Amino acid sequence: MTKQIHVGGVPIGGGAPVTIQSMTNTPTQDVKATVDQIKKLAAAGCEIVRVAVPDMEAARAVGKIKEDSPIPVVVDIHFDHKLALEAIAAGADKVRINPGNIGRYYVKQVADACRLRGIPIRIGVNGGSLEKPILAKYGRICPEAMVESAFQHIRLLEQYDFTDICVSLKSSNVQTAMRAYQLMHCRSDYPLHIGVTEAGTVRMGTLKSAVGIGGLLALGIGDTIRVSLSADPVEEIYAAREILKAAGARREGPELVSCPTCGRTRIDLIALANQVEERLKTVDKPITVAVMGCAVNGPGEAAAADCGIAGGVGEGLLFQKGEIVKKVPQDRLVDELFELIETL
Ligand code: SF4
């Protein structure tokens, strides 16, 4: 099991539920726009948010953003330790920085400032920005090079007795990212922030993230996730929630299972599944609901579901844990299903 760190009041690692993160794309110095976006992200299910800190004005804005943010705020800093120190003083809940990029002398200052405020540091290794000596050693971007880079940063912090760390090893290549996280998982117990970076637009980016993040989660690897999409960041939260659910990493609210349809299908299953999915949005019970295309195989194939419906000609079946409850006229199927759900 990984060590546990805390970002604001949110635990990461050590068996805590896998958390969802995102990043604002408003100018951080525009406090109102940034806070508005954070509130939308939080309402969608984001639990930790990161803001870019490219200059002093942005670093100073962190304090005001923190005042109105409903969730912990992580500051994303590249190279400049002064920005880190300013953002930490302004109240940041975590710093994402690569210690190896800011010079040893300044690493101690940043580590001391974080320790004093009790906030962690994320070492954010990115395949696209590996240190030149490591790239020269391996000759290319590869998982081993990324992990070596992470350990160089880790050792720098550990030299100053700073171990309040989490690590990310992102790559836009799914296989590279997955292998890097697997290697890191074997060699370290620092919590892992997992993601596939620059994954793309909503459809392809969600698919790449589902494979990369979901695959790792299914193997028990990963403590917090960020889906990176070229889209409104709220889309990242929707995708992250679905990935967590699909990977079985976090169970909240209902899950719909529906059959792919085949030559035995006797109802308009696609419309029925969409209708049930829509109505399930108002249900928060952790149940599995099945919508199946035929009465012959449906209840049996969906025996693991808590309840469900199976279509027939003119009438269908309502079933609970694989057992038929009753026959129902087709136009009453969905209503009867939700009446049953209410009793669960
Ligand atoms: S549940 Fe029935 S209709 Fe659906 S895939 Fe299975 S056999 Fe075909």
Side-chain angles (χ1 to χ4, degrees), residues 259-262 264-265 292-294 297-298 301:
C259 83
T261 72
C262 72
R264 291 190 189 87
T265 312
M292 308 299 279
C294 72
N297 292 337
E301 284 184 20

Side-chain angles (χ1 to χ4, degrees), residues 244-260:
L244 283 179
K245 205 184 272 186
R250 195 159 153 180
R251 192 63 205 268
E252 274 167 12
E255 181 180 2
L256 174 72
V257 295
S258 57
C259 83

Side-chain angles (χ1 to χ4, degrees), residues 288 290 292 295-310 317-326 340:
T288 302
M292 308 299 279
V296 182
N297 292 337
E301 284 184 20
D306 294 288
C307 61
I309 48 179
L317 298 176
L318 182 67
F319 59 90
Q320 189 172 359
K321 296 207 181 288
E323 300 292 327
I324 294 166
V325 177
K326 61 177 170 179
L340 176 61

Side-chain angles (χ1 to χ4, degrees), residues 84-85 88 92-97 107-122 157 162 164:
L85 294 175
I88 293 164
D93 293 298
K94 181 168 100 177
V95 179
R96 185 268 184 171
I97 196 165
V107 172
K108 184 173 185 311
Q109 288 184 27
V110 174
D112 286 346
C114 286
R115 186 186 297 104
L116 206 64
R117 290 228 21 256
I119 65 171
I121 292 175
R122 165 155 72 94
L157 288 177
F162 191 89
D164 197 4

